[in-house]
Amino acid sequence: MKKADIFEFYRRLAEANPAPETELEYVNPYTLLVAVALSAQATDVGVNKATRTLFAKVRTPQQMLDLGEEGLKEHIKTIGLFNTKAKNVIAAARILVDKFDGEIPRERGELETLPGVGRKTANVVLNVAFGEPTIAVDTHIFRVGNRTGLARGKTPLEVELKLEKATPAPFITHAHHWLILHGRYTCKARTPECWRCPVADLCAFKPKTPAPKARPSAAPAAH
């Protein structure tokens, strides 16, 4: 995609949604970290349902340790892979208390030392909690980058680095939210809704998906 088209692509997404936010619910950087770690291979809706009662009680790594692994499992048992996730969240809380005085580190490398925290999770926390210009590439962003021609790559890291390079400075802070929401609600995996896409004319995807045909209304019943 050309530079001018990339600027216009983001400009239109920004116009439609000037202040995009994560759909995960959280109360501080620590609860955001937990929510993002729990969201791997799960929906934000499912995670929010499980964490509402959890985050009413637990807002710090020490409180998480006090709750314990079994207590945590009770809250998150509706989320996929909850046993492994509970183990990781407790182990991460222990490291945060022992090594970081209960604070969330603001450096990607340090975040990635926490169990269950990969590059994508670290990028989300840096961006959402601290306003860093990072782009966390999930399945939606990977698809949008490749499908539109905005940033093509064979791996999430390749797409991430290309997006960071291609995204104009005014849009970098919110880029990841615009792209994830675009992928989640418009540029869907199976059938992208090109007919209602605000950036369809800038996108390399072909053939564009036509609007679904309206069902013919039933004939009035004879009396």
Side-chain angles (χ1 to χ4, degrees), residues 185-202:
Y185 298 113
T186 306
C187 197
K188 297 176 181 177
R190 289 193 181 175
T191 313
E193 298 182 359
C194 306
W195 71 90
R196 62 177 197 86
C197 172
V199 290
D201 58 311
L202 305 171

Side-chain angles (χ1 to χ4, degrees), residues 50-197:
T51 57
R52 274 181 204 132
T53 55
L54 175 65
F55 293 160
K57 299 177 183 176
V58 172
R59 298 188 171 196
T60 68
Q62 186 58 58
Q63 288 173 342
M64 188 65 79
L65 291 175
D66 295 342
L67 178 67
E69 195 174 318
E70 292 309 312
L72 176 57
K73 282 181 187 176
E74 277 305 304
H75 283 279
I76 66 169
K77 60 189 176 186
T78 53
I79 299 173
L81 309 173
F82 74 93
N83 282 315
T84 303
K85 288 176 180 177
K87 195 168 284 184
N88 284 337
V89 167
I90 295 297
R94 169 57 60 205
I95 293 169
L96 286 168
V97 168
D98 291 348
K99 193 175 171 186
F100 298 104
D101 297 325
E103 297 295 318
I104 301 300
R106 294 184 63 158
E107 204 271 315
R108 185 192 282 131
E110 290 183 336
L111 282 167
E112 287 187 77
T113 65
L114 301 172
V117 177
R119 186 180 179 93
K120 186 184 79 172
T121 297
N123 279 344
V124 173
V125 173
L126 290 172
N127 178 262
V128 175
F130 304 123
E132 298 287 340
T134 54
I135 297 178
V137 176
D138 69 345
T139 53
H140 296 297
I141 296 180
F142 186 75
R143 180 175 68 252
V144 170
N146 276 290
R147 186 186 270 166
T148 62
L150 185 65
R152 288 200 167 112
K154 291 183 177 162
T155 65
L157 180 58
E158 204 181 327
V159 170
E160 177 191 328
L161 296 176
K162 283 188 175 180
L163 281 172
E164 284 186 352
K165 197 174 173 186
T167 301
F171 303 115
I172 193 80
T173 304
H174 290 316
H176 128 163
H177 287 125
W178 284 315
L179 296 175
I180 200 170
L181 294 170
H182 187 63
R184 190 174 283 166
Y185 298 113
T186 306
C187 197
K188 297 176 181 177
R190 289 193 181 175
T191 313
E193 298 182 359
C194 306
W195 71 90
R196 62 177 197 86
C197 172

Side-chain angles (χ1 to χ4, degrees), residues 26-34 55 58-61 63 104 129:
Y26 67 99
V27 290
N28 59 22
Y30 175 64
T31 53
L32 174 67
L33 178 75
V34 172
F55 293 160
V58 172
R59 298 188 171 196
T60 68
Q63 288 173 342
I104 301 300

